[in-house]
Amino acid sequence: MGIANLWKLLDEEGAIVRVDGSDENDPDAQRIIRESVDGKALAVDLSLWILQACTQQALDEVYNEDLGFDDPDASKTAKIVFERALNYLRHGCVPVGVIDGQAPWQKLGALRARWGAHAGGGGGAFGRCGEVALEVLRALGLPGVEAPGEAEATCAVMDSMGIVDGCVTSDGDSLLFGARTVFKTLRLSHHDQRDLFMERVEAADVGKRLMLGDDVEHVAPALTTLALLTGGDYDLTGAKNVGGTKALLVVKALAKDEARRRALAGAAGRDRRARTLPERLDRFLAAPPDPTIEALDKCTGCVRCKHDGCGKGKIKSHVRGCRLCGTEKGCVERDGECECPFHARADERWLHKVRERANATDGYARSFRDAARGYAAQARDAEEALREASDVEWVVDENDDGDDGFDSFRKMRWRRRPDVARLQALMETYCQWEPRRTREKLLPVLVEWDMKAARRLLRRVGGDASLASDPGRRWELLRRRGVEFVVERIAKTSGNNKAPPWRYLLEVNSADPAHWAAWQRAATGDPAAGESAPKGGTGVLPPNFHERGDDLAFLKALAQRRSVRVSLVRETCPHLVARFDAGGSKATSAPSTPAKAKSKPTTPRKTPKTVRGTKTRSPDQHDITSFFSQRRPTAPPAAPPASTPTPRTPASKRKPSSEVGDDSAHDSDSDEILGAGLRPDPGAVRRLDAKKKLSFVATEEEGDEGLASPARPKSSAVSVMDLRTPPKSSAREQLAPVLSQKGPPGGAPASPASRSPLFSPTKKVRQATLFECLSPKKAATPSQPETVDLCTPQK
C-alpha cells in the first residue's frame, strides 16, 4: 500500500523509530512507549484492525459458522476492537476509529490487483465489519468518524489540523496526505509490558533525513511527487525504469526550488493546502531538454589534478600546463572528485534521464495528472467531511482573522462513560459472551472514568475537603453523573518484570456509603462489619446490589484490575498521592473492602508439625523402602520334605544366630514357596539339598582336620572355590568312588577316601556339586533321590 518500498526507504534513512518492550538491553524501552501514547488521542485506521482480526488463525478456530456464529468476521472484529480499545484506554490513549468510505476511482486498479476483480470501496463484508467496529467504540464512549474516501486520508487531515496527536496506520499514503506522526505499528498490553512494541515516523524527521527542507509542510507534497514517479495506489506503474533513488534526486531538486519560492513569497506563500510541487513536476516533464546536458556523454577530466582537460576524453595529466593549477607545464597532483562537466553536472544529467524515461512511458502524462488530482481531492474532501462529523467538536473563533483559512477544532477526547448494558448486548450478540464477562473486562476502565468524573466534580464544588464531612451529599452529586466507584487509598506501587513501577495499586470501594456498609455485612456475615463505613447515602439499596458487590469482590481478588497508571492517579487523586508519599496511607485510610467470607474458619493446630520422615502412617500405608528390601514371611516356614532329612550339627560346632549369613533368607524363601503349595522342580530341590549337606560336611571336616579353611564371603548364590591346586583327574572321576557307596541313612561309607594335608575330598565334592548345578542337563525321569551319608566322620 502507498509508495512502492516507502517503508524500506525510510528505514534505510533511519527515519523509523523502533522500540521493543521486550529488549533487555534497553531498560527505558517500556517507559518510552508509554510516554509516547499517554494523554494522546490517536486516529486509528480501522481497516488495519479489521484485516488483522479476519486473518488471525486462532480466531478462526473460535468464531466460525460451525459453532453457531452467523457472521464470523463481524464477531472477530467486535472482539479485537473491544479488547484493543481497552488496552489503549488503560495506557491513557484515546483511540479515534476511522472507517473507509467510497474509494476513489483512481484507486480501483490497486484494489483489484490486491483483492480481486470484485473489489471496491465501501459496502460488502468489509463495510459491515466497519460498522460493527464503530458501534463498539461508540458504546465505549469513544469517538468514531466515517471517512468520505480513504480512512488514512481522514486520519492524516485530522492530525495536520490538530484534532488528534497522530495516526495508527500501516499505509504510507498517510504521509502523503499531510500526517505529522504516524505509528506504523503500535502494540499495547496492560498484562505484560514486554509485549509493548512501537514503530513511529515523524514527518519533520523525514524531511530532514531526505533533505526535503526544514518546513514540515514540504514533506507531503514531496512524497506525493515521489509516488507519482515511482508508482503508488493511484498510479501502479509510474514512470518506466525510474527507481526510488533517481526519483528522490528529482524530488530534492524540485523541493529546493519550492523552498526558494516560498521564502520569496513570505507568509502568503505558506498555504497549508497548496500542493505546488506536483505542478512543478508537471512543468519539469513538459520542459524541453537542455542540449548542453545531452552533449555530456563521458568524462573529460585529468586523472592527476582532477580539473577539466578540455578535450574529447579523459587525460592522464596536463602536458602543456593547467590554468586552474597555475602551471605552464604539467599539473599538480591532488585527491578529490573529478571536476569535469560530466561529473559536476551529474544531478542534472540524471534529471534529464528521468525526464526522457518518463516522457517515453506510454500514457504516463495522463495517469500522472489523474493521480495528482486524486491525492489533492482526498485531502480536500476529508477536511470538508470533518466539519459535518457528529463526533468532531467544532469551535468557532470570533476573533479569527482567517489567515490560515479554517476555524479551529477541539481535540478528540473520551467523551462518555461506557454504556455497560449496550456493550453487554453487543458482545453477547456477536461473541456469545456472558454479560458478567463483559462487565468484568470493563471494570478497570469504569474505575478510571469514575476517578476523572469525581475529580471534575470536586473541582467545581470547591475540593474534597468541603465534602469530606458530608459523604451523603457527595454521593448525591456523584450519582447524578453515574459514578459507581471511589478510590479510598493507595496500597502500593505496581510494576512488571523488574521494571520501574508505573502504576498504583488502589483500594476501590462503592461510591454509595449505604451500599458499602450493606455489602460488607453481606460479604463477611458480621452485622457489625459495616459500622466503620461512612454514614449517609440512600436508604434503599440499588437494584444491582449483588452485581456491584461482585464487582468489588472481583477488584479485590485481582490486583491488576485495580492498578491504575501513575499519571492518572496523580492527576485525579493528589491528596492520596501525598498521603502515600508521606507514609501515612495505611494509618489514616478507611478500612479496605472485605473479600469473600472464608468457608472454613482457622483453628489452632492440635499437634505440632512433624519432621519429614517421622510422620505416623496408617496400617494400610507402606513405606517406599519396603518395595526395595527383602520381605520376611509372616507365617512360620513349613517343615522340609521327609525324603530329605536335615543333617544335625553337634552343639559344639553350631554357629550363633548372629553369625548366620544370607543363606537363611534364601532357605526361608524356599520354605515359603513349598508351604504355599507350589510344585518345585525335583532337580532343583535335589541340588539344593545336596548343597545344604555339603556345607555341613565342610564344617565338620575342617573342624576335625584342624586345617584353617579360606575365608568365604556370605552369599546365598555360590561358594568360593579353590582352583589353585590342579587336580590329577577330573572332578567326576574323583567323586566316582564316593558317589558309588551306598548305605543306610546316617551310616558310614564303605571305605574311607585317601586324602593328604594338601588335598581335601570334601572341597572336591563341593566343586563337583557346583559344576553339576551350573552345567545344563537333560530332563531326567523323576525318581527317588539317592541318599548319601556324608555327615559321619570317616575313620
Side-chain angles (χ1 to χ4, degrees), residues 252-279:
K252 291 179 180 179
L254 298 178
K256 290 179 181 180
D257 295 342
E258 180 66 17
R260 204 178 301 114
R261 183 199 66 82
R262 291 193 178 190
L264 295 176
R270 296 181 179 272
D271 187 2
R272 182 180 55 84
R273 292 170 294 183
R275 293 178 175 268
T276 59
L277 203 58
E279 298 176 1

Side-chain angles (χ1 to χ4, degrees), residues 692-711:
K692 293 180 181 179
K693 296 176 183 179
L694 293 177
S695 63
F696 283 99
V697 169
T699 306
E700 294 290 341
E701 289 293 332
E702 290 171 1
D704 293 342
E705 294 286 340
L707 301 177
S709 61

Side-chain angles (χ1 to χ4, degrees), residues 457-458 463-480 483 486 488 510-516 531-538 590:
L457 174 64
L458 295 177
D464 186 52
S466 60
L467 298 177
S469 59
D470 192 358
R473 180 169 173 264
R474 183 182 68 171
W475 159 243
E476 289 296 331
L477 295 175
L478 295 176
R479 182 176 57 85
R480 297 173 186 174
V483 176
V486 293
E488 293 297 329
S510 175
D512 186 358
H515 172 267
W516 182 7
E531 294 181 357
S532 59
K535 306 301 179 182
T538 58

Side-chain angles (χ1 to χ4, degrees), residues 581-717:
D581 294 340
S585 178
K586 295 183 179 180
T588 58
S589 61
S592 58
T593 307
K596 292 184 178 180
K598 295 184 179 179
S599 57
K600 184 171 65 174
T602 57
T603 55
R605 187 184 297 271
K606 296 181 179 179
T607 56
K609 192 173 182 180
T610 57
V611 185
R612 182 179 179 183
T614 61
K615 185 177 180 180
T616 11
R617 297 184 179 87
S618 59
D620 55 345
Q621 185 178 4
H622 300 283
D623 186 8
I624 192 172
T625 57
S626 63
F627 295 95
F628 301 99
S629 61
Q630 200 169 16
R631 297 182 180 178
R632 299 288 181 178
T634 56
S643 59
T644 56
T646 305
R648 302 181 61 183
T649 305
S652 60
K653 302 297 182 178
R654 292 177 186 174
K655 295 182 180 181
S657 60
S658 60
E659 298 179 3
V660 178
D662 294 337
D663 290 346
S664 62
H666 183 74
D667 295 345
S668 62
D669 291 342
S670 303
D671 296 337
E672 183 180 359
I673 294 175
L674 296 175
L678 300 178
R679 194 183 181 106
D681 185 12
V685 173
R686 184 168 60 254
R687 290 191 296 269
L688 181 62
D689 295 339
K691 178 183 176 182
K692 293 180 181 179
K693 296 176 183 179
L694 293 177
S695 63
F696 283 99
V697 169
T699 306
E700 294 290 341
E701 289 293 332
E702 290 171 1
D704 293 342
E705 294 286 340
L707 301 177
S709 61
R712 296 177 299 175
K714 295 181 179 181
S715 173
S716 61

Side-chain angles (χ1 to χ4, degrees), residues 496-515:
N496 288 77
N497 303 314
K498 300 181 180 179
W502 67 283
R503 294 186 295 189
Y504 281 129
L505 183 62
L506 307 179
E507 291 292 344
V508 182
N509 290 319
S510 175
D512 186 358
H515 172 267

Side-chain angles (χ1 to χ4, degrees), residues 572-585:
T572 58
C573 307
H575 59 291
L576 297 181
V577 175
R579 187 187 307 170
F580 178 78
D581 294 340
S585 178

Side-chain angles (χ1 to χ4, degrees), residues 70 93 187 194 205-206 244 281 348 387 406 572 740 779:
D70 298 334
C93 177
R187 186 169 64 242
R194 292 175 297 183
D205 194 22
V206 172
L281 177 61
E348 298 180 39
R387 298 176 181 271
F406 68 100
T572 58
S740 62

